[in-house]
Every structure is written in C-alpha cells, then in structure tokens.
C-alpha cells in the first residue's frame, strides 16, 4: 500500500527537511504511521523515527537542520528533539532499531541492535508495528511495511499483542492497551484478552517499571478521552488483589468526572498546571480508601514524592485539635489551595459543583477562566498549514475578547464550522 502526502504541504516540507542518515536505512514508525494508514492524516504533531544504526548521530544532524539541540538521550541511545516547523512545534523521537528480551518479567530489557523487521516484532500492538521507509530523495509518498498484519487489525478494530508474554514482559503495556482502546474505539483480540487476564491474576502490574507507569498515567491525562481511560483502569482492575478498595464505585466515578470538568479551568491550578491536574486526579481516585492502601497505591503507581505527600496530607490531615471553620464557597475559591478547593467540591457533591461553575461563569474578572484552544488543538482538528493556525488563533482571541466565544466548546464549534464552510467555497 502506498500512502500519498499530497494535500499535506506541512508534512511534505517537513519530510523534505529531514536529512537521511548516510548509508543507513531509516523509517517513520509508531502512532504517526498508524494514524496515516487509518485516517490518512496524523492526529498529533509527534513523530517516531527509527534507524538501523546510531540514532543519536542521526538525531544530531536532524537537530542541526532545524537549528536546535538534541534533547534527552536515554540509556538505550534513543533521543528526543523538539523542533519548530513552519511555526508549529513538532516532537521527534528517534530510536535505533532493536530487539529486546526480558530476563526478569517487568524488569529492564536486554537490548540488541537489529533490522527494522525484528524491531517491529518487539512492539506493543500490531497496529503500532508498521513502518514507512524514508526514501532519499523523498518522493512525496510512503510505501507501507506491515510484517505483522497491523493493517488488517486496523480494519477489524483490534488491538493484538505480538507475543503471549507481552504484558508479563512489560506490564506498562496493560495501561497502553486501555489508552488505545478508548482513543481508537478498538477491542483486544482473544489472545490479548487472555494474556491480560493472566497478567492481572499473576500480579504483573506490581512488577512494572514505576517511572514508566507514571509516564503512562501522564499520557492518559493528556488524552481527550481521559475519563473513560481512567474508568477502564478501574473496571479492568489490574491491581484488584493489592488495592481492593480502589473499585469503580459511583462516588469515585463522580469524583473523576468532577476532576475532568474542573481541570479544564487551567488557571485554577496554575502556576503548576500539570502538577495539579495529576495531583487532583490522585485525590479523586484515592479519596475514601484506607491510609495503608493509599500509601501502597501511591508507591505502586510510581507517584513522585512531591505529589504523594500532598495526597497523603490532604486525605489524612494531621489534626492539631483546632476546630475547623466552615468556609463558604467563594472564600474557598479565593483563599485556599487547589487541593482544598477540589476536596471541598467533591465532598459537596453535584450541587456544590454546579454552584462552583456558576460562580466562575459570573465572575468575569475571576482568574478561573477556561483556557482557549491552542495550535495543538487545531492540528488535532486536521488543520495543516501553520499560517492558517496563527490566523485562526488570532481570530479566536478577538472573538473571545468581544464575548462572542465563551468556552472551548464554542471555539471548537466555530473552528469546525469555519473549516466546513471553507471546504464548500475553496
Ligand atoms: P501516540 O499517538 O500516543 O503518540 P504512539 O503509538 O506513537 O501513540 P508512543 O508512546 O509515542 O505511542 O510510542 C511510539 C511507538 O513505540 C508505539 O507506536 C509502539 O510501536 C512503540 N512502543 C511504545 N511503548 C511501547 C511498549 N511499552 N512496548 C512496546 N512497544 C512500545
């Protein structure tokens, strides 16, 4: 199958700008390929590249052609580069083609350099194991490499692991499964469901790398369908024997919805936006579970200590014998830290949440305003060329100032209508 980039000037010029590694074969891999095969467009400005050779050396020449520096280099000699192409930020991840084996399930893999073919077989799911070879010079289209049958699984809407021990080897894949299930609306095939059940029963999750697990939780929070993903963690219960109280109950469900709604008000949680989003999710999940389980849960999920401390201190406050004053909601909004706002709101239930939203809506000058769309959101909407993104963002800002658009929802509807009408009148 050949996939053309015609009609995608942004990506055409992007690939023309990527220098090819001399004498080495290089590929586009991962989610970018999956989305191009499935939707004929990428869904995020992130791209994974693989090379049969030294990834850091290639990374340096790519970074140079964009006038930036290579970012963090990992112990497996992978690297990241954040570049600006036509004014749009793009994250490039570069890795050497490799196979891996897991002498200790859930432990660090032993990695060996390999061809792209073997590299694709070590990946998490078949739909993520396809590649586009990077021709030199770039012809404007890609020929799909699909040795494991990812394309057929895309058509069947199935997530399929590539070896029966996949979840035992790397249990973080369990959480990736939940994330892709929700994002793509796919289901695990029979072999994958069985492997999931067996990994759950044998406690594979306990052996997963804590820092990678935490990375995966952060990735889930960045997803549009983050609530359903979190509900799936609770429903599929990979931790059931270890955190019996962490069940999918209606109050927990309500709290996670409340978290979802409230954290769209970015400025409530600034200046540490992401920090608070993550911390408040932990509060929503762990609220009401016994202290011991809370401690165990924080450790199992690899929660960094600064967040873990806030969660412990908020859920199990040390009492100094003083009677707490009952504070009315507007005071809470203005004076108390984000975790206290949140805890008070979730304790108060639906009414309290509704009145919070009303207060925010009425207080025009209040800092608790929903944030506007960003360039990233517009790219997700399929808008390709960068000058247009800048123009649309400027127009949105003006319409916001004029009070014509008042929420992200309204901004999105406006952008979609705009794109549709342009389609009719080119
Ligand atoms: P997204 O659209 O979220 O960027 P992605 O599939 O590109 O999705 P990444 O986390 O960027 O996700 O990973 C890039 C690729 O690396 C994946 O598509 C997959 O092939 C491989 N990969 C990532 N994590 C794992 C893992 N734990 N085990 C095996 N392969 C993985």
């Amino acid at each position: 199958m050949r996939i053309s980039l015609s009609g995608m000037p942004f990506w055409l010029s992007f690939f023309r700008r990527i220098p090819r590694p001399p004498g080495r074969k290089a590929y586009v891999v991962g989610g970018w390929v999956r989305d191009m095969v499935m939707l004929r467009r990428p869904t995020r400005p992130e791209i994974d590249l693989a090379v049969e050779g030294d990834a850091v050396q290639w990374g340096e020449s790519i970074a140079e052609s964009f006038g930036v520096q290579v970012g963090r280099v990992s112990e497996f000699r992978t690297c990241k580069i954040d570049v600006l192409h036509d004014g749009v930020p793009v994250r490039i991840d570069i890795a050497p083609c490799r196979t891996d084996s897991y002498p200790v399930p859930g432990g660090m893999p032993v990695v060996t350099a390999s061809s792209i073919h073997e590299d694709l077989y070590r990946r998490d799911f078949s739909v993520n194991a396809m590649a586009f070879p990077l021709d030199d010079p770039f012809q404007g289209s890609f020929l799909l490499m699909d040795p494991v049958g990812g394309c057929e699984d895309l058509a069947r809407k199935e997530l399929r692991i590539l070896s029966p021990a996949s979840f035992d080897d790397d249990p973080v894949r369990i959480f990736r499964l939940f994330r892709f299930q929700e994002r793509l609306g796919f289901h695990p095939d029979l072999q994958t469901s069985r492997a999931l059940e067996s990994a759950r029963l044998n406690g594979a999750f306990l052996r997963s790398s804590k820092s990678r697990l935490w990375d995966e939780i952060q990735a889930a929070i960045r997803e549009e369908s983050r609530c359903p993903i979190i509900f799936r963690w609770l429903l599929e219960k990979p931790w059931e024997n270890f955190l019996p109280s962490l069940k999918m109950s209606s109050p927990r469900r309500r709290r996670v919805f409340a978290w979802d709604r409230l954290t769209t008000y970015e400025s409530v949680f600034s200046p540490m936006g992401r920090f608070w989003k993550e911390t408040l999710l932990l509060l929503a999940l762990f609220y009401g579970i016994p202290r011991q389980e809370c401690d165990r849960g924080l450790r199992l999920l690899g929660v960094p200590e600064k967040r873990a401390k806030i969660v412990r201190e908020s859920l199990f406050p040390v009492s100094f014998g003083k009677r707490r004053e009952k504070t009315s909601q507007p005071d809470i909004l203005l004076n108390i830290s984000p975790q206290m706002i949140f805890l008070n709101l979730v304790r108060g239930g639906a009414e309290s949440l509704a009145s919070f939203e009303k207060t925010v809506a009425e207080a025009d000058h209040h800092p608790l305003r929903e944030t506007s769309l960003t360039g990233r959101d517009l790219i997700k909407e399929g808008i390709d060329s960068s000058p247009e993104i800048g123009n649309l963002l400027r127009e949105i800002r003006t319409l916001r100032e004029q009070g014509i658009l008042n929420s992200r929802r309204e901004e999105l509807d406006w952008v979609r209508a705009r794109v549709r009408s342009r389609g009719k009148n080119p």
Side-chain angles (χ1 to χ4, degrees):
M1 181 194 296
R2 191 166 267 285
I3 293 187
S4 164
L5 295 194
S6 65
M8 304 179 81
F10 178 86
W11 290 108
L12 269 172
S13 57
F14 177 84
F15 286 111
R16 294 211 164 105
R17 216 170 152 184
I18 299 268
R20 305 305 189 255
R24 305 277 181 197
K25 288 190 189 145
Y27 305 85
V28 188
V29 288
W32 201 91
V33 179
R34 178 196 64 228
D35 292 344
M36 280 299 289
V37 174
M38 186 170 66
L39 307 167
R40 293 294 188 271
R41 66 175 176 85
T43 54
R44 47 197 68 215
E46 286 172 14
I47 193 146
D48 292 283
L49 301 177
V51 56
E52 291 178 353
D54 189 344
V56 179
Q57 204 178 22
W58 186 30
E60 277 160 1
S61 66
I62 295 177
E64 197 184 320
S65 81
F66 285 90
V68 295
Q69 301 277 319
V70 170
R72 199 168 60 87
V73 174
S74 78
E75 62 194 289
F76 299 120
R77 302 279 297 162
T78 66
C79 62
K80 290 183 190 303
I81 316 176
D82 287 306
V83 305
L84 210 57
H85 177 60
D86 274 357
V88 178
V90 181
R91 156 67 58 93
I92 309 176
D93 279 314
I94 310 175
C97 292
R98 59 193 196 267
T99 52
D100 45 27
S101 61
Y102 292 81
V104 179
M108 289 298 278
V110 175
V111 164
T112 323
S114 76
S115 67
I116 185 71
H117 194 82
E118 290 162 300
D119 178 281
L120 293 175
Y121 272 92
R122 73 160 177 94
R123 290 175 181 264
D124 51 359
F125 306 109
S126 63
V127 295
N128 287 343
M130 297 183 280
F132 288 145
L134 271 170
D135 305 331
D136 189 13
F138 182 52
Q139 303 295 331
S141 66
F142 288 120
L143 189 64
L144 181 69
M145 265 185 87
D146 179 20
V148 303
C151 214
E152 275 174 31
D153 287 332
L154 277 179
R156 281 197 287 259
K157 295 184 180 292
E158 274 183 358
L159 290 163
R160 177 168 58 84
I161 47 173
L162 301 179
S163 99
S166 186
F167 293 135
D168 292 317
D169 284 346
D170 180 4
V172 172
R173 291 173 187 160
I174 297 174
F175 295 90
R176 290 179 64 82
L177 175 81
F178 299 159
R179 188 151 64 82
F180 289 116
Q181 245 180 295
E182 285 305 331
R183 190 202 297 169
L184 307 174
F186 285 16
H187 297 285
D189 77 334
L190 190 62
Q191 177 206 7
T192 306
S193 303
R194 285 194 181 134
L196 176 67
E197 181 59 10
S198 131
R200 186 169 70 78
L201 292 176
N202 73 25
F205 158 67
L206 291 182
R207 296 186 288 274
S208 57
S209 143
K210 301 294 174 260
S211 65
R212 290 187 43 242
L213 191 51
W214 180 248
D215 288 346
E216 187 51 36
I217 291 170
Q218 292 180 311
I221 293 177
R222 287 196 298 272
E223 293 280 335
E224 210 159 304
S225 55
R226 56 196 190 155
C227 263
I229 296 168
I230 293 157
F231 296 145
R232 200 163 285 283
W233 300 346
L234 298 172
L235 274 173
E236 309 262 0
K237 308 184 275 265
W239 40 58
E240 139 174 276
N241 298 332
F242 315 96
L243 302 171
S245 311
L246 194 60
K247 289 195 189 91
M248 172 73 138
S249 61
S250 335
R252 180 159 290 113
R253 210 185 149 85
R254 260 205 317 276
R255 283 198 296 278
V256 174
F257 273 133
W259 164 82
D260 186 42
R261 185 73 196 95
L262 293 175
T263 50
T264 57
Y265 295 102
E266 295 271 356
S267 54
V268 184
F269 309 112
S270 64
M272 294 176 280
R274 208 183 78 187
F275 179 91
W276 281 112
K277 257 186 212 171
E278 294 162 8
T279 310
L280 297 184
L281 172 62
L282 295 167
L283 287 175
L285 287 175
F286 289 143
Y287 184 78
I289 76 171
R291 169 80 201 232
Q292 261 193 342
E293 267 190 60
C294 174
D295 287 343
R296 199 181 309 146
L298 292 169
R299 272 197 309 276
L300 285 180
L301 297 181
V303 178
E305 182 47 30
K306 209 164 153 196
R307 292 166 183 76
K309 188 162 177 272
I310 294 178
V311 173
R312 279 193 300 267
E313 288 176 359
S314 312
L315 295 181
F316 307 98
V318 181
S319 163
F320 294 105
K322 265 194 187 169
R323 239 188 83 234
R324 291 225 183 130
E325 294 285 317
K326 242 191 150 188
T327 324
S328 67
Q329 202 175 319
D331 291 340
I332 290 172
L333 288 181
L334 295 173
N335 298 329
I336 302 185
S337 60
Q339 83 266 30
M340 290 314 290
I341 298 178
F342 184 70
L343 280 178
N344 275 287
L345 289 170
V346 296
R347 271 191 202 121
E351 263 179 43
S352 169
L353 284 169
S355 108
F356 171 86
E357 297 215 20
K358 192 159 165 272
T359 314
V360 173
E362 282 169 0
D364 231 16
H365 58 282
H366 202 281
L368 310 185
R369 302 262 299 174
E370 249 190 343
T371 47
S372 273
L373 297 184
T374 60
R376 229 179 144 82
D377 295 314
L378 298 187
I379 290 171
K380 269 198 204 163
E381 288 299 304
I383 295 164
D384 187 40
S385 69
S386 66
E388 186 181 6
I389 286 181
N391 291 340
L392 286 171
L393 290 177
R394 267 190 295 282
E395 279 189 64
I396 290 174
R397 200 178 324 126
T398 311
L399 294 170
R400 269 256 180 184
E401 281 161 11
Q402 293 168 349
I404 296 168
L405 297 178
N406 292 299
S407 65
R408 280 174 70 85
R409 185 71 260 162
E410 287 177 10
E411 290 178 10
L412 260 184
D413 290 344
W414 178 83
V415 167
R416 283 173 187 163
R418 196 52 198 275
V419 170
R420 266 200 311 275
S421 71
R422 211 191 31 211
K424 281 182 204 144
N425 315 302

